[in-house]
Amino acid sequence: MKEKMFISLVLLMMALSSKAQTVTVHADKPGDVIPKEIYGQFAEHLGTCIYGGLWVGKDSDIPNQDGYRTDVLNALKELKVPVLRWPGGCFADEYHWMDGIGPKEKRPKMVNNNWGGTIEDNSFGTHEFFNLCELLGAEPYLSGNVGSGTVEELAKWVEYITSDGDSPMANLRRQNGREKSWNLKYLGVGNESWGCGGSMRPEYYADLFRRYSTYCRNYDGHHLFKIASGASDYDYNWTKVLMQNAGGNMAGLSLHYYTVPGWSGSKGSATNFTKDQYYWTIGKCREIEDVLKKHIEIMDEKDPKNRVALLLDEWGTWWDEEPGTVRGHLFQQNSMRDAIVASTSLDIFHKYTRRLKMCNIAQIVNVLQSMILTKGDKMVLTPTYYVFKQYNVHQNATYIPVDVECDMMEIKGANRKFDAKLPLVSATASKDKNGVCHISLTNVSVDKEQTVTVNLEGIKAAKATGTILCTANIDDLNTFDNPDKVKETAFKAVSVKNGQMKVKLPKNSVVTLELK
Ligand code: AHR
């Protein structure tokens, strides 16, 4: 009896010491529309992203539609990919587009110097990329070569893609089998011009941006959205100089931020990590919020009318390559830890869409934090894929501000510049054009189920339905032998009553609910 009373007392004390997990959604105070482009993707000529991942060629034994893998194509259609960035990355500044058009047997080869010295045969070029975007219903985002290409080369590429007149480049395109121009809005003028894109100083690059972009013309009703190559992480000076010297010439400025333990030495295993390393990773991914705020602050100062968009056109986790894979191909596995990085990051991005207009996770297939992994004719959907699938209800929906009050976790480990306290619940919400509200909740904890009370301010609902992505262990993942270990299932542990929703979130879980 005494023992029972003692246990009850301990449980009571534990309950008191643990804060209630409360999320308040303010549908009565709607925010900005979440552009669908926040869910953008990135495909670089790197490792097996293009060759083997997206493209196998028409003669392959792997089932394909005009050379594109059928399995990958179908899986990507489910994600509603809004925009696809190509051909790099670092590759873009060594890419010469004319090598990738015309009869395949005549296309010259090149060495992919950035990525393992692999021989690139240029069989996937402009036509193959733009046709893929049409198949996926995605906006193309072209990354132009400034580092090693000429102004003329970039200007002609734009003419080749978008001119409908009797122009030399439009006629060349016609000769190569495409009568009509393709849709092209987003044009990146260089990539990482401070590094692999030419090792430039911001003042010099700002002038080059002005020069190159001058000659990228708007043909026949097309209107280019010209994007300047932006900073990496904490390089606020780059943003400042670019906004100062070329802000008036650009429609957008990019930014790259990776969840990576550091750039020198090992980046850590994608599959084998400790709890402390996991919490450190989530802290690092959350640090993007502070980085975004600081870049936005500079942009607000230089562009108070909010004309220039910020585009986070590379983000995601970056781990050591999988043992046994080709060095320089950046093939990494993807666990539930990566899924939590994805949901937490997207929750943050939703808050900054006044300025932040596009994000492109790196990368779509077989590279870094990918949606899909392939090996021969096998395909695996990663935990990150399922987060993008759950979250696509937020595309083009109106953001609903959210307050989260929850337990915090102390982050341990080296290299930590960010806040030591990590919230164990992450959340976001939106209202779509039909007036339907969706709420996404992540339980960041690896040990504790958490019951979250969601206060539904400004929402009338009687019930909620949705799906859950959840694993027993944070390092659980899908492999070619066991491809369905982590996948979304129907979620039942939710009830709605008197303007409140109660949600029981298992450890390591991401839930998206529709209110009815
Ligand atoms: O996404 C991989 C590489 O990371 C890109 O090519 C480059 O832009 C960045 O450094």
Side-chain angles (χ1 to χ4, degrees), residues 19-35:
K19 222 194 287 167
Q21 320 300 320
T22 311
V23 170
T24 305
V25 296
H26 302 279
D28 46 345
K29 297 177 190 145
D32 294 302
V33 167
I34 301 164

Side-chain angles (χ1 to χ4, degrees), residues 42 44 46 89-90 115 191-192 256 258 314 318 362-363 368:
F42 170 31
E44 180 164 9
L46 196 181
C90 296
W115 307 118
N191 167 74
E192 297 197 347
H256 291 176
Y258 282 98
E314 287 185 30
W318 192 321
Q363 298 191 6
L368 300 176

Side-chain angles (χ1 to χ4, degrees), residues 132-180:
L132 171 64
C133 289
E134 286 186 345
L135 281 172
L136 290 175
E139 283 275 353
Y141 172 1
L142 199 69
S143 238
N145 181 348
V146 170
S148 71
T150 63
V151 178
E152 182 186 1
E153 186 184 10
L154 187 56
K156 283 185 167 165
W157 203 8
V158 170
E159 185 188 321
Y160 186 88
I161 294 160
T162 57
S163 166
D164 274 314
D166 183 20
S167 75
M169 289 301 110
N171 287 334
L172 182 59
R173 185 192 67 231
R174 290 185 188 107
Q175 254 175 49
N176 290 329
R178 171 79 184 197
E179 178 56 38
K180 257 180 33 194

Side-chain angles (χ1 to χ4, degrees), residues 78-229:
E78 292 276 303
L79 291 190
K80 303 191 169 82
V81 176
V83 56
L84 183 59
R85 180 171 181 250
W86 175 86
C90 296
F91 180 79
D93 281 289
E94 278 202 83
Y95 181 61
H96 299 286
W97 68 272
M98 286 221 178
D99 296 346
I101 55 170
K104 299 230 163 148
E105 57 292 355
K106 290 204 177 137
R107 297 188 190 177
K109 293 188 174 148
M110 68 176 279
V111 182
N112 191 336
N113 290 308
N114 285 289
W115 307 118
T118 304
I119 298 300
E120 160 72 52
D121 70 2
N122 277 308
S123 54
F124 189 97
T126 304
H127 291 246
E128 291 73 22
F129 171 65
F130 280 90
N131 292 346
L132 171 64
C133 289
E134 286 186 345
L135 281 172
L136 290 175
E139 283 275 353
Y141 172 1
L142 199 69
S143 238
N145 181 348
V146 170
S148 71
T150 63
V151 178
E152 182 186 1
E153 186 184 10
L154 187 56
K156 283 185 167 165
W157 203 8
V158 170
E159 185 188 321
Y160 186 88
I161 294 160
T162 57
S163 166
D164 274 314
D166 183 20
S167 75
M169 289 301 110
N171 287 334
L172 182 59
R173 185 192 67 231
R174 290 185 188 107
Q175 254 175 49
N176 290 329
R178 171 79 184 197
E179 178 56 38
K180 257 180 33 194
S181 63
W182 287 284
N183 167 41
L184 172 65
K185 177 175 173 189
Y186 299 109
L187 176 71
V189 181
N191 167 74
E192 297 197 347
S193 302
W194 40 265
C196 65
S199 309
M200 302 178 213
R201 286 166 298 155
E203 292 79 6
Y204 179 69
Y205 170 70
D207 281 350
L208 276 195
F209 172 79
R210 294 168 67 124
R211 180 166 166 238
Y212 276 68
S213 56
T214 300
Y215 300 97
C216 295
R217 309 291 190 186
N218 290 326
Y219 291 97
D220 303 312
H222 293 274
H223 192 82
L224 294 171
F225 186 99
K226 296 173 190 168
I227 300 154
S229 163

